[in-house]
Amino acid sequence: MKSFYRYFLIPGIENLAGGLPNPSYFPYDTFEAKTAVPDRFKPTPNQPIDPLPAEQKLKDVHLSDGLSASRILVPHDSTAANPLKKIDLNTALQYGTAQGYPPLYTFIRQFTRKHLYPDFQYKDGPEVILTCGSTDGFSKAIEVFTNAWDEQKDWIREKEGLLCEEFAYGNALQAAKPRGLNIVPVKIDDEGMLAKGKGGLEDVLIHWDFNKGKRPHMMYTVTMGQNPTSGLLSIPRRKEIYALCQKYDIIIVEDDPYWYLQYPSANALSTQHHGKPISPNYPGIGHNYNAGRTTSGYEFLDSLVPSYISMDVDGRVIRLDTFSKTVAPGCRLGWITAQPRVVERILRVTETSTQQPSGFVQSMIAELIIGPQSSSDGGKGGAKDGSGWDVGGWVRWLEGLRGNYERRMQTMSSILEEGKYAISHSARDTIASSPTNTDSLDSDSEEPFLHISKTPMYSFTYPMAGMFLWLHLHLSTHPLSHALPLPRLSHAFWVLLTRPPYLSLISPGTVFAPTETIAQEQGWQYFRLCFAAIDEEKLAEKTRSVVSAARAFWEMRNVEEIEEILKDEDEEGSLDVAREMERRREEGVLGMGDMAHFC
């Protein structure tokens, strides 16, 4: 029946075939909303010269001057003749094709082909299909490219696997577990997944143990603002990994909700404070990745590290995009980009599962960006003059978002950088009393001197992209490291942060460990801090709370102090957060809501 939909577009044809409700009976006459204009937020430069002083990072810089709001209106009936440009409730709230609402699908397809991947490798260009967010897109990709495995009836040799980073976004991996897939972690560094070396992709594939099942043929990866580490995979590393995927015939599912949140200032900050760049693979500031190739038409887009799609000569990349971070998570709207034959297979899955995403959401975003086709159309877009944002406005909106999140990153990073040492003082013997100095110093100098020592409590890499900072806690330097298991110390620090006066919740690294082994051996050493969600005026305050809590924690010299922190936790039978979540997953009682705050 859905194959009939294209005939509905024939001018003058009347529908006596499909079981569609009459649109005049829809209880909505219009949709209206007050919205931002594209230049509401100030961007940060693609070529930063010097990092901003800490006190200037957020103060009076996040909003642009002038009008920052507009109003959109989606009419019940649009007068637009072109069905690919027609935005109204009559069509948006009706049954539609699984590919997506035609006006929005058309815009995304054009934006993807002309601006995101202007130098694509496919003969006729990439194809897109709208999804209910990235997790939905990933679930459909898994369904298309993997076979479910059942321990009760299938041979172990038939079990398939999914490659992922050593620390990874847990919700996506949970989508793979019901299909019985092996979850196969690959070692990472400050960029992201390693291609070479011990634990790197090549090492994992060469030394695969076939007693565990088939060698993995699918990879899930977040390459820009890796969640949770905020790594940004360079072009040289991408080429190495892609070559290995060609050799071992691996499908790459690239989930990149943070692709536009790449921070040029991070490498400069790392050089300034740590004495070296985050990675030597990154080109200089202001690099144009499309130089000598087809340009995107926008300096901002040309300055961003491109997707695997841009180098995909085999059609093995499935790219997941989302409006969750560019508009709002509640939209539950995104899209898949891949070679046309892959998208056609995902389309078939969509037709028998979710159908197209919400018409309410698609029409609102379409009106915001595309807008009406004429003044008589009946609609009103998101630009100041009532037209849509269009591509230029959409890119400017992304620039402004990058600017605000980059300033937040700088604020959190600078405070953590300044407070990463525990400072201790101790009085030493007088200098004059030293046998080597008694002859050269008079009695006025015979006073005790103060010895100051600095103990590193934690370290971090400046986030190159994304919304997170990955904090490495150096628990081996804690005064009680010899008296208590380090994972227990780690959990005590996490609990302490949730108590007054700190009242700060951060994500334990164990939550992002794809295997129990990684959780037990490494996960407890790390915490993920999100600089995106908190109110702007509280970001600096709560980041200082983390520093204060760390210093207070490093001042604890008695085991009893730690046990007191954990007393309530132990009495309630609580283990650390990750183990408790793993237990609930196995029992089938952990839902998406439990993980929402750790996304």
Side-chain angles (χ1 to χ4, degrees):
M1 183 62 71
K2 286 188 170 61
S3 64
F4 291 177
Y5 283 176
R6 61 192 178 97
Y7 294 102
F8 296 167
L9 305 180
I10 298 175
I13 199 167
E14 295 295 338
N15 173 29
L16 299 177
L20 280 63
N22 192 291
S24 65
Y25 297 158
F26 295 165
Y28 299 95
D29 294 328
T30 62
F31 285 167
E32 297 184 56
K34 187 176 181 180
T35 62
V37 294
D39 57 355
R40 169 176 284 186
F41 304 121
K42 288 185 178 180
T44 44
N46 296 324
Q47 303 182 44
I49 299 173
D50 294 303
L52 287 170
E55 67 275 6
Q56 292 182 19
K57 295 202 171 69
L58 288 177
K59 182 181 178 183
D60 300 328
V61 296
H62 69 291
L63 287 176
S64 295
D65 300 326
L67 184 68
S68 63
S70 183
R71 181 174 294 276
I72 67 167
L73 184 149
V74 182
H76 191 281
D77 297 282
S78 168
T79 60
N82 185 348
L84 300 182
K85 301 289 186 179
K86 185 175 184 177
I87 305 169
D88 61 16
L89 302 186
N90 190 329
T91 54
L93 302 187
Q94 191 57 272
Y95 289 118
T97 62
Q99 194 113 38
Y101 188 44
L104 188 59
Y105 159 77
T106 302
F107 174 85
I108 290 174
R109 186 172 186 268
Q110 180 183 11
F111 179 72
T112 297
R113 294 160 68 102
K114 187 175 180 180
H115 303 290
L116 274 188
Y117 319 119
D119 207 29
F120 54 77
Q121 305 298 309
Y122 309 147
K123 178 181 178 182
D124 297 318
E127 188 53 84
V128 303
I129 181 173
L130 273 65
T131 64
C132 301
S134 291
T135 303
D136 173 54
F138 181 53
S139 297
K140 289 168 180 171
I142 286 180
E143 186 170 349
V144 168
F145 284 101
T146 67
N147 294 306
W149 182 84
D150 189 332
E151 186 177 10
Q152 302 301 317
K153 64 178 184 179
D154 295 324
W155 294 100
I156 188 66
R157 63 174 177 264
E158 297 172 350
K159 188 172 186 178
E160 298 180 8
L162 178 70
L163 296 155
C164 66
E165 284 98 350
E166 186 176 24
F167 289 96
Y169 174 48
N171 278 4
L173 300 185
Q174 290 309 308
K177 287 191 174 181
R179 296 185 67 81
L181 302 181
N182 279 318
I183 304 300
V184 185
V186 179
K187 197 79 174 173
I188 61 175
D189 65 1
D190 291 340
E191 280 192 34
M193 184 179 288
L194 285 169
K196 309 286 186 178
K198 184 175 177 56
L201 181 60
E202 184 177 50
D203 184 46
V204 169
L205 296 173
I206 288 176
H207 298 102
W208 179 251
D209 181 1
F210 287 93
N211 291 318
K212 296 179 180 178
K214 294 181 178 181
R215 182 187 280 130
H217 71 276
M218 191 174 194
M219 174 193 296
Y220 172 78
T221 180
V222 180
T223 65
M224 306 178 191
Q226 200 273 340
N227 187 358
T229 67
S230 287
L232 177 63
L233 208 64
S234 67
I235 293 295
R237 183 75 57 80
R238 287 172 189 270
K239 289 180 178 178
E240 290 180 330
I241 290 174
Y242 188 85
L244 288 168
C245 290
Q246 288 181 303
K247 181 177 180 179
Y248 292 96
D249 196 19
I250 295 169
I251 298 294
I252 302 172
V253 181
E254 184 182 26
D255 183 8
D256 279 324
Y258 315 106
W259 62 271
Y260 63 99
L261 297 180
Q262 300 182 25
Y263 306 132
S265 63
N267 235 10
L269 287 166
S270 179
T271 301
Q272 177 183 345
H273 295 288
H274 299 168
K276 61 179 182 179
I278 295 167
S279 170
N281 287 333
Y282 298 130
I285 287 174
H287 181 73
N288 180 350
Y289 284 94
N290 287 326
R293 304 167 45 166
T294 306
T295 178
S296 70
Y298 296 92
E299 180 185 351
F300 173 67
L301 297 182
D302 287 342
S303 74
L304 303 177
V305 176
S307 162
Y308 274 119
I309 288 270
S310 299
M311 61 180 66
D312 183 23
V313 296
D314 299 339
R316 65 177 62 254
V317 176
I318 302 170
R319 163 76 180 222
L320 308 179
D321 279 283
T322 180
F323 283 101
S324 291
K325 308 303 189 294
T326 56
V327 178
C331 291
R332 305 316 312 144
L333 181 64
W335 72 93
I336 290 173
T337 306
Q339 57 131 313
R341 292 181 65 187
V342 168
V343 171
E344 189 274 334
R345 291 292 87 193
I346 292 173
L347 175 65
R348 301 304 167 215
V349 173
T350 303
E351 287 176 339
T352 57
S353 58
T354 61
Q355 305 289 325
Q356 71 166 331
S358 164
F360 290 98
V361 173
Q362 291 190 86
S363 66
M364 292 293 273
I365 292 181
E367 196 71 84
L368 177 75
I369 300 175
I370 304 168
Q373 298 308 296
S374 68
S375 57
S376 62
D377 198 345
K380 190 173 185 298
K384 296 176 184 178
D385 62 0
S387 62
W389 283 3
D390 205 1
V391 175
W394 178 241
V395 173
R396 176 59 180 82
W397 174 251
L398 298 179
E399 283 188 86
L401 290 180
R402 197 273 294 272
N404 271 9
Y405 284 124
E406 184 167 18
R407 284 183 283 267
R408 284 169 170 264
M409 178 277 290
Q410 293 169 348
T411 296
M412 175 176 279
S413 298
S414 64
I415 293 171
L416 291 173
E417 184 69 46
E418 292 167 4
K420 65 184 180 182
Y421 293 105
I423 310 297
S424 59
H425 309 79
S426 60
R428 296 294 179 89
D429 294 337
T430 62
I431 298 176
S433 64
S434 170
T436 60
N437 290 306
T438 50
D439 295 335
S440 59
L441 296 173
D442 57 33
S443 59
D444 291 338
S445 301
E446 295 180 3
E447 296 180 0
F449 71 93
L450 198 62
H451 176 76
I452 300 176
S453 61
K454 296 165 63 177
T455 301
M457 301 181 293
Y458 56 78
S459 61
F460 65 92
T461 298
Y462 281 88
M464 279 294 294
M467 294 181 168
F468 312 112
L469 184 145
W470 190 233
L471 196 72
H472 184 189
L473 213 60
H474 298 307
L475 290 163
S476 60
T477 70
H478 193 280
L480 296 175
S481 60
H482 64 285
L484 286 169
L486 298 188
R488 187 165 179 80
L489 271 178
S490 175
H491 187 48
F493 174 70
W494 183 83
V495 173
L496 178 66
L497 263 175
T498 67
R499 306 273 176 82
Y502 313 112
L503 295 177
S504 298
L505 183 65
I506 60 178
S507 299
T510 44
V511 171
F512 307 98
T515 67
E516 186 63 23
T517 299
I518 292 176
Q520 292 179 3
E521 294 180 356
Q522 301 179 57
W524 51 267
Q525 301 178 47
Y526 298 94
F527 292 92
R528 193 196 74 178
L529 282 65
C530 177
F531 49 79
I534 191 171
D535 289 344
E536 197 168 275
E537 62 272 12
K538 293 183 179 179
L539 177 62
E541 172 194 342
K542 286 304 176 181
T543 304
R544 291 190 181 97
S545 291
V546 174
V547 173
S548 298
R551 285 178 172 166
F553 192 68
W554 253 257
E555 289 175 0
M556 295 180 181
R557 299 292 191 273
N558 300 317
V559 171
E560 291 74 16
E561 293 179 274
I562 303 297
E563 298 303 333
E564 182 63 28
I565 293 173
L566 296 174
K567 179 180 178 181
D568 292 340
E569 302 284 312
D570 291 340
E571 287 177 355
E572 293 171 4
S574 169
L575 302 172
D576 64 74
V577 173
R579 284 190 175 185
E580 180 66 8
M581 285 188 167
E582 186 63 30
R583 178 187 67 79
R584 295 177 69 187
R585 287 193 201 103
E586 292 172 355
E587 294 176 1
V589 296
L590 179 63
M592 295 292 285
D594 296 270
M595 291 292 291
H597 295 293
F598 298 101
C599 291

